[in-house]
Amino acid sequence: MKWLALAACAFGLGACALLEEEKPAPVVVAPAPPRKPTSADELLAYLDRLRALDEAALALETSRQREFAKKDPTDLARLKAALALSTSPQSEEADILALIEPLLREGYAIQDADALAMASFLQGMALERRRLKESAAVANGRSRDDRKAMDAQKHRADHLEQRVTQLQQKIDALTSLEKSLSKRATQGK
C-alpha cells in the first residue's frame, strides 16, 4: 500500500513538472496604429470649441464658417457652418436647414455615414427649434390676449364698483331725506 501511495505521489509530481514545462510564451500585443480622425471626431471637436466661445466670438465664427461654406461647399464645411449656426441663439432655423437639407436630399450621394448622421441630427434639432419658437409665439399671443381680456374685465369691474358706490350714495341720501321728512312729520303733529 505504501508503494502504491508513493507511486501516486511520484506520478502527480511528474504531471506537475510536465505542466510547468508547457507554459505558453507571453503574448505581446502591439499597440494599434493611430487612426486617422473621422469626420465625427472633427465635428465633435469643433462643437466643443464652439461651446467655449462667448456670444461675440460665436457670431464671428458663425459668419466665418458661412463664408467658408460658400467658397468651398463640401459636406464638412456645410456641417460646420450649420453647427455654428445651431449654437448661436440669434440664428434662424431656415439658415441651418438651407445648409444641411441638400445633404439629406434624395439622390445626393453623401459618402460619410457620420456626416449623414450629423446632418440628420441638425435637421431634427432645427425643426424642433422652429416648432418651439412657433409654439412660444402662439403662447405669447394667447398670453397677450388673455392680459387684454383681463384688463378689460378689471376696467368693467372698476366701472361697476364706481356705479355701485354712486348708487349707494344715492340710497344713503334718500334714506337720510326720508328720515328727515319722517322727523318733520312727527314734530309737526
Side-chain angles (χ1 to χ4, degrees):
M1 243 336 139
K2 284 184 178 182
W3 289 101
L4 188 58
L6 281 174
C9 282
F11 180 73
L13 288 173
C16 287
L18 283 177
L19 287 176
E20 286 181 14
E21 290 175 13
E22 292 184 25
K23 284 186 181 176
V27 177
V28 177
V29 178
R35 68 177 176 87
K36 180 182 172 201
T38 65
S39 61
D41 295 332
E42 189 174 341
L43 289 170
L44 287 175
Y46 182 67
L47 182 59
D48 279 344
R49 200 173 99 222
L50 287 174
R51 293 173 70 197
L53 298 177
D54 64 2
E55 200 167 322
L58 183 60
L60 184 63
E61 177 65 16
T62 300
S63 64
R64 189 179 73 78
Q65 280 299 330
R66 288 179 86 175
E67 288 301 316
F68 184 70
K70 284 179 186 175
K71 291 177 186 174
D72 183 24
T74 63
D75 298 343
L76 201 57
R78 287 175 165 273
L79 286 171
K80 282 184 175 183
L83 270 174
L85 282 168
S86 68
T87 56
S88 176
Q90 290 81 21
S91 66
E92 291 295 322
E93 290 73 33
D95 294 339
I96 298 168
L97 292 171
L99 284 166
I100 58 174
E101 281 184 342
L103 303 177
L104 299 171
R105 198 170 296 135
E106 191 175 327
Y108 185 85
I110 192 166
Q111 301 298 320
D112 189 354
D114 294 335
L116 181 62
M118 182 60 82
S120 295
F121 171 74
L122 287 172
Q123 180 188 38
M125 189 177 69
L127 292 173
E128 180 65 15
R129 205 166 121 175
R130 177 186 284 170
R131 187 190 67 75
L132 288 173
K133 280 184 179 179
E134 289 169 354
S135 295
V138 168
N140 284 338
R142 283 187 197 140
S143 176
R144 191 173 35 257
D145 293 344
D146 290 346
R147 218 175 7 260
K148 284 180 184 178
M150 198 164 85
D151 288 346
Q153 285 179 343
K154 186 178 181 315
H155 180 68
R156 276 187 295 240
D158 290 345
H159 179 70
L160 287 175
E161 190 176 323
Q162 288 174 352
R163 183 75 176 133
V164 166
T165 303
Q166 290 171 351
L167 290 175
Q168 188 62 46
Q169 288 172 351
K170 287 181 181 180
I171 289 173
D172 291 344
L174 287 174
T175 305
S176 177
L177 182 62
E178 183 182 2
K179 285 182 183 177
S180 71
L181 288 176
S182 290
K183 282 184 184 178
R184 280 190 198 165
T186 54
Q187 287 176 357
K189 288 188 183 179

